[in-house]
Amino acid sequence: MKKRGIGMGCIFYGTGYGNGFPDVSTAYVEIHDDGSALVITGAVDCGQGSTTILAQIAAEELSIPVEKVTVTTADTDCTPDSGTTAATRQTYTSGNAVRLAAQKAKQVLLEWAARELGVNTTEGLRVNNGMLEVKGDPAKTVPLEEICAKARFAGKRLIGEASFTTHATQVSMENGQGAPYWPYAFGTQIVEVEVDTETGKVEILKVIAAHDVGKAINPENVKGQIQGGVGQGVGWSLYEEVQLKEGQILNPSMSSYLIPTVLDMPEIEPVIVEAHEPSGPYGAKGVGEPAMLPTAPAVLNAIYNAIGVRINDLPATPEKVLAAIKEAGL
């Protein structure tokens, strides 16, 4: 007999290394004489899309199309230290560093432009649609490329460098007080499963995954990360298990260490929750690890809802589920 159940899992997750550990990212941004820009960062893109996000942040800050931004990453010969791609930190920490570096590069440009255009402050200058405009004096509007080229030909490099440190304090070992992480990400996933009571096999039918990401700088990218996280959560729930005997791994290859394939994936409905984070770049936080975590508890709760037995040892293999059913006398 096949029985269906629904379960929910909720998490909160601290962004960055945490507990007062130095969590620093540095970036350079240079505006070229054709009005394009180069971002130099040590942030490694493992496929999660950080290069795209950092280009978008620089483009927004410089008021130029994202197509005019090139990102050089993870070259130990020329890129600054941006920390590891871990702890859901690159959009937040490196994103803030890129934003600050872009602001500095833009300020160098505006100060040069103010002198060239004969205005007494940079406050009335802005870049808009490929032009550098002077508020209240349209006659002084010049193409961005022209003013950048003049600066470069005069030997002026339009470069900004910035570092950003994520706030965290070490937790007191005496009273447990402190601010070990900032900011926190939040997520809730609801899972529907079908359990075969004769074989113990569990099939995950659907996952609704709602995650607070601050501002979704690239919504399609965020959806992809949520789907990828759920995929890993499915593996932890039903398949992945390191088998050990006397310190030796018994399943060291992909033929014996099972991970879900595309045929094992359920329908996934990502839900983006945007709660503005004031300390993030344009209000953004991260969504890497948080998308992985609620899946397993939601699956186990759904199994309980379906057949009335608790599985407390991952993964919930058919053997474990069937043994639990027999032990409960169902």
Side-chain angles (χ1 to χ4, degrees):
M1 178 183 297
K2 293 183 177 180
K3 294 185 176 180
R4 292 192 176 189
I6 295 174
M8 182 171 69
C10 303
I11 61 100
F12 70 98
Y13 181 92
T15 301
Y17 300 143
N19 206 29
F21 190 85
D23 191 349
V24 185
S25 187
T26 301
Y28 308 137
V29 172
E30 179 167 14
I31 304 171
H32 293 310
D33 48 10
D34 62 353
S36 65
L38 171 65
V39 175
I40 303 176
T41 170
V44 177
D45 193 331
C46 303
Q48 81 278 23
S50 61
T51 299
T52 301
I53 295 296
L54 298 180
Q56 288 183 261
I57 290 172
E60 182 72 18
E61 201 62 43
L62 298 172
S63 305
I64 62 176
V66 69
E67 295 80 8
K68 301 195 75 170
V69 178
T70 301
V71 182
T72 296
T73 66
D75 183 340
T76 54
D77 191 45
C78 65
T79 56
D81 186 5
S82 300
T84 58
T85 295
T88 311
R89 61 181 293 283
Q90 289 297 7
T91 293
Y92 180 76
T93 309
S94 293
N96 268 320
V98 168
R99 185 183 186 193
L100 294 171
Q103 287 176 351
K104 290 184 176 180
K106 187 175 182 179
Q107 185 60 30
V108 173
L109 168 64
L110 295 182
E111 288 174 358
W112 169 268
R115 289 193 294 270
E116 280 292 300
L117 299 175
V119 297
N120 62 355
T121 175
T122 62
E123 294 301 318
L125 300 179
R126 69 169 184 171
V127 177
N128 181 37
N129 197 28
M131 307 296 286
L132 196 145
E133 300 175 345
V134 180
K135 188 183 298 182
D137 192 353
K140 291 184 179 292
T141 297
V142 295
L144 179 63
E145 295 179 12
E146 181 179 320
I147 200 71
C148 292
K150 282 187 176 180
R152 293 295 298 270
F153 291 152
K156 186 71 173 178
R157 295 190 67 179
L158 311 173
I159 299 177
E161 174 188 355
S163 296
F164 179 82
T165 302
T166 299
H167 169 74
T169 64
Q170 193 169 17
V171 172
S172 169
M173 298 301 290
E174 294 184 358
N175 57 23
Q177 297 299 303
Y181 292 98
W182 192 267
Y184 287 88
F186 302 88
T188 294
Q189 294 183 10
I190 298 174
V191 172
E192 183 179 16
V193 303
E194 186 174 77
V195 183
D196 189 325
T197 58
E198 295 183 357
T199 66
K201 181 181 179 182
V202 177
E203 182 179 359
I204 302 175
L205 303 175
K206 183 174 183 178
V207 178
I208 299 174
H211 287 270
D212 163 29
V213 300
K215 172 65 178 177
I217 292 176
N218 188 316
E220 290 305 309
N221 190 326
V222 171
K223 291 177 184 176
Q225 282 212 286
I226 291 175
Q227 291 168 333
V230 170
Q232 193 157 349
V234 169
W236 291 348
S237 303
L238 302 182
Y239 302 99
E240 298 185 47
E241 183 175 28
V242 177
Q243 298 173 0
L244 294 169
K245 184 178 181 180
E246 298 178 352
Q248 297 293 317
I249 296 177
L250 301 180
N251 55 342
S253 69
M254 300 304 291
S255 63
S256 54
Y257 182 89
L258 301 181
I259 62 173
T261 70
V262 67
L263 297 178
D264 300 308
M265 292 300 293
E267 176 186 357
I268 302 171
E269 181 178 333
V271 178
I272 297 173
V273 179
E274 291 187 309
H276 182 82
E277 168 50 47
S279 65
Y282 302 103
K285 297 188 286 191
V287 71
E289 283 99 331
M292 307 175 190
L293 303 179
T295 311
V299 168
L300 298 185
N301 286 334
I303 293 172
Y304 177 74
N305 182 245
I307 60 176
V309 297
R310 284 287 182 191
I311 305 297
N312 297 312
D313 180 29
L314 293 174
T317 61
E319 292 82 2
K320 291 178 185 175
V321 174
L322 197 58
I325 291 174
K326 290 180 178 178
E327 184 178 349
L330 299 176

